Amino acid sequence: MNRFDRYLIDRARQVLAEDVDLSDDRAAARRIGQLEAVLAGLLEVVDATKAGPADE
């Protein structure tokens, strides 16, 4: 696992730990965008892990 992978995992943990007021539509939309971004990053890490170290 490289430093960028570690960053993506740490960022996902940070976003998931943040409280958000879901009664505020803008805050909820921003949160959804953040979650989409970190999920995409985590999926890249998973794909790279499944591909193995030869593809890094």
Side-chain angles (χ1 to χ4, degrees):
M1 183 175 307
N2 63 35
R3 290 173 59 191
F4 185 68
D5 293 346
R6 174 57 47 202
Y7 166 78
L8 291 173
I9 292 167
D10 291 343
R11 178 67 182 135
R13 286 185 177 139
Q14 179 186 12
V15 169
L16 290 171
E18 294 171 357
D19 289 333
V20 65
D21 180 10
L22 296 178
S23 66
D24 178 4
D25 291 342
R26 286 183 143 186
R30 188 169 42 254
R31 176 57 170 243
I32 290 168
Q34 290 172 336
L35 291 171
E36 287 175 339
V38 297
L39 178 57
L42 290 175
L43 290 174
E44 288 179 19
V45 171
V46 169
D47 287 344
T49 302
K50 286 177 19 180
D55 289 349
E56 287 186 28

